[in-house]
C-alpha cells in the first residue's frame, strides 16, 4: 500500500480528503460537555532499457543506405544494413553503410522536438556539428516524421473503433426500444413522436410487469393453493464439509446428525443491495397538486406543533405526548381522499421537543440530502433515496424544495420488522419567526399501490419545526404520525412498538441530540488532552473509523429483506435469532460471518445496565464478555454531554499479548435519558489504528463489531419473561429499585448482538456446532449480565469493590 502511495506521488496524483458529513459550519457552539480528560502521560501502545524498431523499406535505397533509416534515432542501425543481412550482395556492388552514433541521434531528437521541419540552414548547421551530410539529416527527419504519423494513426484507429462500437450498441438499444413502444390508448404499436419519453418508458415497464404477473400466476396455479416462492435459487441444505469451530470456544461438542432443515442455518439470499420500488413518477400535470398538498401539510404540522390539549394527551406509562385521533380528524381533515387501508392497521402518533447543538441551516441541509439523513440517524434510517426532485426550491438553502423520497426505517433487532415507504418531503422557511419546517406527507393518490415484504406503512403529515437558538443551538419540535399494518410481532417487543417507543418522536429526537453532539465533537479543535492520540486530525480520523463501526453494526442486525434470520427453537418465548452471510467486500473480514441476536427484558433501569457494560473494571469480571482478560483505556474521545458518551481505545491485557502482538478494542458508547443506550466495540490491531490516525484510507480495515442496545421499557405483557427476574419494583434484597433517567420506565430491553468469523473461506459450509457454540455464549452473556446487575450496588453507592487506578 505504501508503494502505491509513492507511485501516485511520483505521478503527481492529488489526494483529496473527504469532507465532514455536513459542510455548513456550526455558529459558535458551546462545547461545555467536552472538558479536558484527566489523562496523565501515557507510554506508546507498542514498545536503461533499449528499444528497437525497423521501418519499412520505402524510398530510394541508395539514399537510405547513406543517411540511415528513420529508426536510426532509436537503435542507430539503418534499414539497409538489415537488408544486407537478409541478402548478401557481391563485394563489387556493396554500398557503404552508416551507423548513427548515440550523440548524433540525441542531438537530432532534441531539434526534432523543437522543430520537426527544419529549413536548409538548420539542417546544414546540424550536419556540420554532427559530422553528417545534409542529405542524411534531411532523410532522418523525413523518416522520423513518417514514424510519428504512423503512431498517431494507430492511436486514432483505436479510438475510432471504440466509438464505433459504442454507437452500434446505442443503435441496437434504441431499435429495441422503438420495437417495444406501445400506444397509451389502445395498447397497440405506437407511431413515433406521439408519446414523450417518460410515458414510453412507463408503458414498456407496464408491459413487462404484466408479463411477469402472468408468469407468476401460472406458477401459482401449478402448485395449487401453495403460495409461489420468490424467484431465484432456493436455499439448499449444506452438509458440513469443514470443521469451523471458532477460536473463542473450546470446540468440543456432541455432534448430532443433520436430519432436517431445522438442524442447520439456511443461507440467506445473496443480494447486491436494496432494489427500490419501481413505477412511481410524478408527472408534470400532477406537480401543482402535490405542491398544494405540501402547503396544506406544512400548515397542519405547524398547528399541531403549537396546539396542546385536547389534541395531545400524556401517556401515563411513559409520559409521552400522544395524539388524540378523534380530535385530530376533526381539526385536520386531509384535502385528498386517502386510500382505504384494508386489514388490521394501527396508528402511532407522538410528539417530543429537544434542544440540539446544530444550527437550522445545517439540519435542513441534512434532511434534504438522503445520504446525510442516513448519517444523522444511523440506527434508525437504514436506507434512503431521493427518487425525484419535484421542486428544487427558491433559495440555496432549500426553501420551497419538494422531494419524492423512499426510505427504510428499522429498530435494531431482527424481531422488529423494518418499515419501508414512499413519501413527499417539503421544506419551508418562515423568515419572520426565524423557523424552518420539514414535513413529510403520503403519496396516496399518485400510485396504484406497492406490494412489499414489509408491513404496509403510510406516513401521515410528520416532521419537525426548527428554530435557531443562541450559541448555535436549535430547538426542534418533532411530530411522528404514521399508520402501519399490525403484523405478528414477538411478544417481548409487542407493547414497546405499539406504544411508539420504537419508532416514535422520542426516539427520533434522542438520536438527533446524540448525533449533533457527536458531530460537534468531530469538528472541535480545542481539546488538548487526547491520550495516545497525537493530534486533532488523528482524533478526527479515529472518530470516523468508529462511525463506520457503528454503521456496520446497525446494518448487521437489521430486519431488512436482504437478511434471513432463523430461530433456534420452536418456543414462542425464544428471542435468539441467527443468520450467516458471505463477505468478500473490504471493511469486514472475508469469509462466512455468523451473527446471533437476543433480546431480554431486565427489571433494571437502562442507565444502570449501561454503566455496567461501559465500566471496564466491572465488565472484565463477566467471563462471556472478556474471556478473563482485563482492559486498560489508552485513549478517550468525548463526544457528548454524558461522561460515557465517548469513543475509547482499550488495550486488552491478555496473556498472549507481547510487544510485537498487541490487541486493542475500539469502543463507542452513547446514552440518552429517554432514548436508551448503545455500546458497540470491535477488536483492531495496532497497525490498523496507526493507519487510521495517519489519515490514510481506513476503509479496508476489517471490523466485526459486537454490541448492546438498551431501551427503557415497561415489562412485557406475558409472564414467561418477567417470572425469571425479581419484581421490577424491588431489588434482589427487597429494597426499591430506582427508575430510569427520566423515570418513565421500570425496566429495560437489552439486545445483545454478536458476530464471529466462522470461516475465512467464503465458500465454506457452516457446522451445527458453531451455531450451538454462539447460542450458548449468547445465553451465558445475558445470564452473567443479569446476575451482575442483581449483585451490583445502586448508582449512588460505591461502584465496584475491586481497586482500580487509571495510569
Amino acid at each position: 500500500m505504501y508503494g502505491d502511495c509513492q507511485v501516485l506521488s511520483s505521478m503527481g496524483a492529488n489526494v483529496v480528503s473527504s469532507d465532514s458529513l455536513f459542510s455548513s459550519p456550526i455558529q459558535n457552539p458551546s462545547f461545555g460537555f467536552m472538558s479536558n480528560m484527566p489523562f496523565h502521560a501515557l507510554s506508546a501502545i507498542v514498545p536503461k532499457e533499449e528499444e528497437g524498431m525497423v521501418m519499412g523499406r520505402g524510398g530510394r535505397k541508395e539514399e537510405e543506405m547513406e543517411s540511415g533509416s528513420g529508426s536510426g534515432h532509436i537503435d542507430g542501425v539503418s534499414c539497409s544494413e538489415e537488408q544486407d543481412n537478409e541478402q548478401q550482395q557481391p563485394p563489387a556492388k556493396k554500398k557503404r553503410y552508416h551507423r548513427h552514433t548515440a550523440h548524433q541521434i540525441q542531438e537530432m531528437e532534441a531539434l526534432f522536438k523543437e522543430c520537426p521541419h527544419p529549413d536548409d540552414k538548420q539542417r546544414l548547421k546540424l550536419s556540420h556539428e554532427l559530422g553528417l551530410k545534409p542529405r542524411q539529416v534531411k532523410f532522418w527527419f523525413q523518416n522520423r516524421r513518417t514514424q510519428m504519423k504512423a503512431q498517431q494513426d494507430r492511436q486514432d484507429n483505436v479510438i475510432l473503433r471504440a466509438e464505433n462500437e459504442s454507437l452500434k450498441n446505442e443503435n441496437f438499444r434504441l431499435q429495441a426500444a422503438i420495437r417495444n413502444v406501445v400506444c397509451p390508448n389502445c395498447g397497440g404499436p405506437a407511431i413515433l413522436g406521439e408519446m414523450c419519453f417518460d410515458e414510453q418508458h412507463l408503458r414498456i415497464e407496464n408491459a413487462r410487469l404484466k408479463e411477469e404477473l402472468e408468469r407468476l400466476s401460472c406458477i401459482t396455479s401449478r402448485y395449487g393453493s401453495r403460495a409461489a416462492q420468490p424467484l431465484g435459487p432456493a436455499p439448499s441444505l449444506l452438509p458440513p464439509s469443514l470443521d469451523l469451530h471458532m477460536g473463542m470456544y473450546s470446540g468440543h461438542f456432541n455432534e448430532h446428525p443433520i436430519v432436517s432443515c431445522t438442524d442447520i442455518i439456511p443461507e440467506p439470499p445473496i443480494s447486491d443491495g436494496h432494489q427500490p420500488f419501481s413505477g412511481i413518477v410524478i408527472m408534470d400535470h400532477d406537480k401543482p397538486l402535490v405542491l398544494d398538498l405540501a402547503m396544506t401539510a406544512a400548515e397542519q404540522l405547524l398547528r399541531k406543533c403549537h396546539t396542546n390539549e385536547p389534541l395531545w394527551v400524556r401517556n401515563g406509562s411513559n409520559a409521552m405526548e400522544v395524539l388524540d385521533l378523534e380530535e385530530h380528524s376533526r381539526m385536520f381533515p386531509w384535502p385528498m381522499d386517502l386510500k382505504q387501508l384494508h386489514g388490521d392497521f394501527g396508528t402511532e402518533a407522538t410528539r417530543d421537543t429537544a434542544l440540539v447543538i446544530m444550527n437550522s441551516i445545517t439540519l435542513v441541509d441534512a434532511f434534504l440530502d438522503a445520504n446525510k439523513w442516513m448519517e444523522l440517524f444511523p440506527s434508525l434510517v437504514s436506507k434512503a433515496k431521493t427518487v425525484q426532485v419535484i421542486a428544487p426550491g427558491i433559495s440555496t438553502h432549500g426553501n420551497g424544495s419538494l422531494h419524492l423520497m423512499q426510505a427504510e426505517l428499522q429498530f435494531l433487532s431482527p424481531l422488529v420488522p423494518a418499515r419501508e415507504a414512499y413519501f413527499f418531503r417539503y421544506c419551508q422557511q418562515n423568515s419572520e419567526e426565524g423557523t424552518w419546517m420539514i414535513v413529510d406527507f403520503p403519496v396516496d393518490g399518485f400510485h396504484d399501490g406497492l406490494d412489499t415484504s414489509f408491513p404496509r406503512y403510510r406516513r401521515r403529515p410528520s416532521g419537525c419545526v426548527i428554530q435557531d437558538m443562541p450559541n448555535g443551538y436549535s430547538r426542534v419540535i418533532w411530530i411522528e404520525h404514521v399508520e402501519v399494518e399490525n403484523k405478528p410481532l414477538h411478544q417481548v417487543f409487542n407493547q414497546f412498538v405499539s406504544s411508539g417507543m420504537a419508532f416514535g418522536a422520542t426516539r427520533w429526537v434522542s438520536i438527533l441530540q446524540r448525533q449533533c453532539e457527536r458531530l460537534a465533537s468531530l469538528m472541535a479543535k480545542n481539546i488538548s488532552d487526547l491520550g495516545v492520540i497525537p493530534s486533532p486530525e488523528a482524533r478526527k480520523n479515529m472518530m470516523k473509523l468508529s462511525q463506520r463501526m457503528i454503521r456496520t453494526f446497525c446494518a448487521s442486525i437489521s430486519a431488512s429483506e436482504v437478511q434471513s434470520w432463523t430461530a433456534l427453537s420452536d418456543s414462542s418465548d425464544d428471542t435468539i435469532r441467527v443468520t450467516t452471510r458471505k463477505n468478500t467486500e473490504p471493511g469486514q473480514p472475508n469469509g462466512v460471518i455468523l451473527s446471533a441476536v437476543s433480546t431480554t427484558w431486565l427489571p433494571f433501569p437502562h442507565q444502570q445496565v449501561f454503566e455496567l457494560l461501559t465500566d471496564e473494571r466491572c465488565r472484565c469480571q463477566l467471563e462471556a464478555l472478556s474471556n478473563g482478560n482485563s482492559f486498560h483505556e489508552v485513549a478517550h474521545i468525548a463526544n457528548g454531554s454524558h461522561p460515557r458518551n465517548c469513543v475509547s481505545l482499550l488495550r486488552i491485557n491478555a496473556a498472549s499479548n507481547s510487544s510485537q502482538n498487541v490487541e486493542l478494542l475500539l469502543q463507542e458508547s452513547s446514552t440518552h435519558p429517554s432514548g436508551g443506550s448503545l455500546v458497540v466495540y470491535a477488536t483492531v490491531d495496532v497497525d490498523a489504528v496507526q493507519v487510521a490516525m495517519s489519515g490514510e484510507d481506513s476503509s479496508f480495515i476489517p471490523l466485526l463489531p459486537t454490541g448492546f442496545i438498551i431501551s427503557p421499557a415497561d415489562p412485557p405483557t406475558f409472564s414467561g419473561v418477567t417470572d425469571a427476574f425479581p419484581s421490577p419494583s424491588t431489588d434482589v434484597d427487597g429494597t426499591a429499585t430506582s427508575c430510569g433517567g427520566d423515570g418513565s420506565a421500570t425496566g429495560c430491553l437489552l439486545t445483545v448482538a454478536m458476530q464471529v468469523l466462522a470461516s475465512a473461506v467464503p465458500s465454506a459450509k457452516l457446522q451445527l456446532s458453531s451455531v450451538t457454540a454462539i447460542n450458548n455464549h449468547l445465553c451465558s452473556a445475558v445470564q452473567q449480565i443479569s446476575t451482575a446487575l442483581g449483585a451490583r450496588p445502586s448508582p449512588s453507592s460505591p461502584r465496584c469493590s475491586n481497586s482500580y487506578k487509571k495510569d
Side-chain angles (χ1 to χ4, degrees), residues 644-683:
R644 291 196 179 274
N645 281 359
C646 62
V647 176
S648 303
L649 197 60
L650 307 173
R651 174 169 177 162
I652 303 175
N653 299 319
S656 59
N657 282 351
S658 63
S659 59
Q660 292 80 23
N661 181 26
V662 176
E663 193 174 19
L664 302 174
L665 200 72
L666 177 64
Q667 175 177 292
E668 178 161 351
S669 56
S670 63
T671 187
H672 188 275
S674 57
S677 308
L678 184 69
V679 182
V680 181
Y681 56 89
T683 57

Side-chain angles (χ1 to χ4, degrees), residues 490-507:
H490 194 282
Q491 48 194 352
V492 74
F493 278 108
N494 194 15
Q495 182 179 352
F496 181 76
V497 174
S498 62
S499 65
M501 290 295 293
F503 295 94
T506 298
R507 185 166 178 234

Side-chain angles (χ1 to χ4, degrees), residues 604-660:
F604 305 100
H606 84 277
Q607 292 284 6
Q608 185 177 347
V609 182
F610 176 74
E611 289 289 334
L612 171 69
L613 296 175
T614 54
D615 189 344
E616 62 270 20
R617 301 168 295 179
C618 298
R619 196 169 74 185
C620 66
Q621 300 174 359
L622 304 177
E623 179 68 25
L625 302 181
S626 64
N627 289 330
N629 302 320
S630 60
F631 303 97
H632 173 71
E633 188 177 44
V634 297
H636 183 104
I637 302 174
N639 65 1
S641 56
H642 192 279
R644 291 196 179 274
N645 281 359
C646 62
V647 176
S648 303
L649 197 60
L650 307 173
R651 174 169 177 162
I652 303 175
N653 299 319
S656 59
N657 282 351
S658 63
S659 59
Q660 292 80 23

Side-chain angles (χ1 to χ4, degrees), residues 170 212 351 390 523 648 754 787:
E170 181 69 12
E212 183 74 10
R351 183 176 71 172
I390 301 172
M523 292 183 285
S648 303
M754 295 182 176
T787 303

